[in-house]
Amino acid sequence: MSYDSFVIQFLNGLAGASSLFMVAAGLSLIFGVTRIINFAHGSLYMLGMYIAVACAGKIGFWWAVPVAALAVAAVGALVEMLLLRRIYAAPELLQLLATFALVLVAKDYALWQWGSEDILGPRAPGLAGAVAIGKAAFPEYDLFLIGFGPLMLLALWLVLTRTRWGTLVRAATQDREMAAALGVNQKWLFTGVFALGAFLAGLGGALQIPREPATLLIDLSVVSDAFVVVVVGGLGSIGGAFVAALLIAQIKSFCIGLGFSQVTLVAEFIVMALVLVLRPWGLLGRVPAQARGPWTAERPLVPPSRPALAALGAVAATLLALPLVSGGYTLVLLTEILLFALFAVSLHFIMGPAGLHSFGHAAYFGLGAYAAGIFLLREKLPMELALALAPLVAGLGALVFGWFCVRLSGIYLAMLTLAFAQIAWSVVFQWDALTGGSNGIVGVWPAPWLASKTAYYLLTLVVCAAAIAFLWRALYSPFGYALRAARDSPLRADAIGMDTRRLQWAGFALAGLFAGIAGALYAFSKGSISPETMAVTRSVDGLVMVLLGGIQTLTGPLWGAALFTWLQDTVARNVDYWRAVIGAVILFLVLAFPQGVTGFVGERLRARDA
């Protein structure tokens, strides 16, 4: 690489870091004060881009940027007051589910308002040219962004350190309970912080329109990058977010400059994985303070009563007899519901009883699916043998990734699972010779005796029912009780001789193995596999299924998977803006049944019996 090329790539990295820092700083502020994992932060960035493009033609680019940022800040304030304020006492994962629903609503709103085509923004007046750097040219607007990023860092530092409001924000970030005890009005503080975070996201998006088009796909990619920056820098640390944005943007820029453009798909996740393994709290983060107040454990899972077992038996008998009275698409849909029920139950196994929150469980679902296809088509194994061996590959992947993941906890553990999942996705997306790359693998069909929809449905029913029964039985074995002890009181569990990490590692690997069973069944049911099988959206789907049903219930993941899969299928086939409808339904369920649908029904039944 020549000197000129080196300078250009370095400057490209600085320009990219500015926008990345702004969106990550907003996300870091919101999480630091409210403890909300705002999955909709990328949607705020997307709205900032669209609003700026729409306004630029009427009032000019330089006026459109602050107008878009302020409009997004107003949207953020409304979201906080009308929705999030109602669920601050709910578990963090339920708040994540609510913000995911907002992603669906925002995406379909943008689709309705601006259409599905990418929209190009105008050049920045006065900065539309380029400056010569040796024999190369560098855009003047990118030089502006390079200077604007540090100015925003300085402005945030002044606000947070030289104003009373900033002092309250820092106090709430370090010890929210103590700040409340001292009389801080948390409602308006949270609203202000959320509005400021939304303003930064909208500003980052608006400033990007001269560099890239506004697109409906930008939300998830931006929030993914922002989460990486926040975690690498340290949750709640604005300075850490700035350093991490610089680091990641430079690595991605030089990967492109050196001809390793494919590495950019996963570069930031490799960085995040390395940082979390070596420094679990991020580069400039602090060890989280212990929560104040009395120690409480999660309510133990209640074994199914005899009426509940009878009801489950009746459901199983009905599903077994269903092919006698129905067929065709009904069996295809039920097959999908069954295998996603197993996927959700396997995720619940480590999230509920084990307390290991995973944002990357689709990695093992996808590993099982790809292994089944590779064994069948590349290794020429019989379908039955491929189906039996594929979950072992998923289990092995969970065993390797889990060894690192169980050393962390909370959001750091969840983000490390996401990092490993994205690394696995990048491998299958780019390994054309083995996985088919972006085209995937086609022709993954079951054996002739399972070719009919009825036969494959019955196989799926038997395998999924047996696997779910095994996982449920494991929860009430000594191993399952030990997992719950390690979750509720790790110090006490360690004091009586339990190796908590080894227990959690085993649980993590077991959950990955059973997710692989669901993935292998999915591959043969669809006949093809694509990288979307193990994308982050699949992991989010699993989280939604578990949380809709109820994370502290035994059968909740079953009903959550059935409800979500049926809802997706029915609404997507009958409604144009189906994402918004699903998002609205999820928001209603979150507000009406914060303990999940099954948890709500269980509480009503217990109250009636009492």
Side-chain angles (χ1 to χ4, degrees):
M1 178 183 288
S2 66
Y3 175 76
D4 292 347
S5 298
F6 178 87
V7 173
I8 291 294
Q9 293 304 324
F10 179 73
L11 292 176
N12 279 332
L14 291 180
S18 291
S19 178
L20 189 56
F21 162 68
M22 280 182 278
V23 66
L27 184 63
S28 185
L29 273 174
I30 290 172
F31 181 84
V33 175
T34 69
R35 299 298 189 270
I36 284 183
I37 306 169
N38 183 22
F39 209 84
H41 206 64
S43 299
L44 298 174
Y45 179 96
M46 177 188 71
L47 289 176
M49 295 187 77
Y50 275 111
I51 295 173
V53 171
C55 294
K58 300 176 181 179
I59 60 176
F61 172 77
W62 292 113
W63 282 107
V65 169
V67 167
L70 290 171
V72 174
V75 170
L78 287 175
V79 166
E80 194 280 335
M81 289 188 290
L82 299 178
L83 172 64
L84 299 180
R85 188 175 289 182
R86 302 171 183 270
I87 57 173
Y88 279 131
E92 289 181 356
L93 286 174
L94 194 70
Q95 298 165 358
L96 172 69
L97 180 58
T99 60
F100 170 72
L102 292 174
V103 171
L104 300 178
V105 174
K107 187 183 288 289
D108 265 7
Y109 171 78
L111 175 63
W112 170 74
Q113 182 68 35
W114 293 289
S116 59
E117 298 295 326
D118 296 354
I119 303 178
L120 293 171
R123 296 285 186 91
L127 296 175
V131 296
I133 299 179
K135 298 180 180 180
F138 190 76
E140 293 176 342
Y141 184 73
D142 285 8
L143 288 176
F144 162 76
L145 289 180
I146 291 173
F148 190 77
L151 286 177
M152 287 302 302
L153 174 63
L154 176 61
L156 286 173
W157 179 80
L158 290 174
V159 168
L160 294 175
T161 60
R162 296 293 185 268
T163 66
R164 183 178 183 276
W165 185 81
T167 302
L168 297 179
V169 169
R170 288 186 291 115
T173 300
Q174 295 180 13
D175 197 328
R176 189 169 60 175
E177 291 79 8
M178 182 60 73
L182 293 175
V184 175
N185 188 330
Q186 290 200 354
K187 285 186 178 181
W188 292 112
L189 180 65
F190 287 5
T191 302
V193 167
F194 206 93
L196 177 59
F199 174 86
L200 292 171
L203 181 63
L207 287 172
Q208 280 297 101
I209 61 172
R211 305 182 78 221
E212 60 179 314
T215 171
L216 295 173
L217 302 177
I218 197 71
D219 52 354
L220 289 181
S221 63
V222 166
V223 76
S224 180
D225 289 344
F227 271 129
V228 170
V229 170
V230 169
V231 171
V232 169
L235 289 171
S237 172
I238 302 299
F242 186 78
V243 172
L246 285 174
L247 174 65
I248 291 171
Q250 289 295 343
I251 290 175
K252 294 177 73 171
S253 178
F254 278 98
C255 283
I256 295 173
L258 294 172
F260 301 111
S261 57
Q262 292 178 327
V263 180
T264 59
L265 293 173
V266 73
E268 65 264 41
F269 295 100
I270 295 175
V271 172
M272 182 170 69
L274 290 174
V275 169
L276 290 182
V277 168
L278 299 175
R279 187 176 174 82
W281 314 122
L283 295 175
L284 300 181
R286 299 180 178 179
V287 178
Q290 296 293 324
R292 300 178 184 273
W295 173 83
T296 58
E298 297 284 357
R299 177 183 295 171
L301 290 175
V302 179
S305 61
R306 288 186 177 181
L309 289 175
L312 287 172
V315 170
T318 302
L319 292 174
L320 194 61
L322 193 64
L324 298 176
V325 297
S326 183
Y329 188 74
T330 299
L331 294 183
V332 173
L333 178 59
L334 284 174
T335 298
E336 190 162 319
I337 288 175
L338 286 168
L339 58 90
F340 279 124
L342 175 57
F343 175 58
V345 168
S346 68
L347 177 58
H348 172 262
F349 185 83
I350 57 171
M351 284 183 59
L356 303 175
H357 300 157
S358 174
F359 288 180
H361 202 59
Y364 316 113
F365 183 87
L367 285 174
Y370 269 98
I374 292 169
F375 285 147
L376 181 74
L377 300 179
R378 306 283 194 266
E379 301 300 326
K380 307 299 182 184
L381 296 182
M383 175 264 176
E384 297 85 354
L385 186 58
L387 181 62
L389 293 178
L392 299 180
V393 176
L396 180 61
L399 193 69
V400 174
F401 294 160
W403 190 85
F404 298 97
C405 292
V406 299
R407 282 158 170 73
L408 305 179
S409 60
I411 185 62
Y412 294 98
L413 181 147
M415 293 307 296
L416 186 57
T417 62
L418 174 63
F420 283 129
Q422 287 299 102
I423 292 171
W425 172 86
S426 177
V427 170
V428 302
F429 186 81
Q430 299 179 76
W431 197 349
D432 292 342
L434 183 65
T435 65
S438 59
N439 295 320
I441 302 175
V442 297
V444 188
W445 298 112
W449 67 279
L450 292 170
S452 71
K453 294 180 176 63
T454 299
Y456 197 79
Y457 163 76
L458 292 174
L459 172 72
T460 304
L461 175 60
V462 171
V463 173
C464 289
I468 291 170
F470 179 88
L471 288 174
W472 283 354
R473 179 64 186 88
L475 291 178
Y476 297 101
S477 68
F479 174 72
Y481 286 115
L483 275 179
R484 275 178 272 174
R487 175 199 68 186
D488 290 337
S489 186
L491 293 178
R492 293 181 182 180
D494 185 68
I496 61 175
M498 291 184 181
D499 190 335
T500 55
R501 282 187 178 176
R502 190 178 295 273
L503 284 168
Q504 292 173 333
W505 185 25
F508 198 97
L510 187 63
L513 174 71
F514 280 83
I517 296 175
L521 289 169
Y522 179 82
F524 287 113
S525 72
K526 295 296 182 182
S528 62
I529 316 158
S530 67
E532 284 71 25
T533 306
M534 59 195 313
V536 64
T537 51
R538 182 74 69 195
S539 295
V540 173
D541 287 348
L543 285 169
V544 172
M545 294 171 191
V546 172
L547 295 172
L548 278 181
I551 193 171
Q552 294 305 328
T553 63
L554 183 65
T555 61
L558 287 182
W559 311 122
L563 174 62
F564 186 69
T565 306
W566 172 81
L567 193 63
Q568 269 194 326
D569 177 80
T570 303
V571 175
R573 286 190 293 113
N574 296 288
V575 180
D576 289 336
Y577 300 105
W578 59 272
R579 294 184 189 87
V581 174
I582 293 176
V585 171
I586 292 174
L587 286 175
F588 168 76
L589 293 174
V590 166
L591 294 174
F593 313 115
Q595 66 277 67
V597 176
T598 308
F600 174 80
V601 173
E603 284 191 0
R604 298 284 79 77
L605 292 176
R606 285 192 293 271
R608 187 191 66 180
D609 294 339

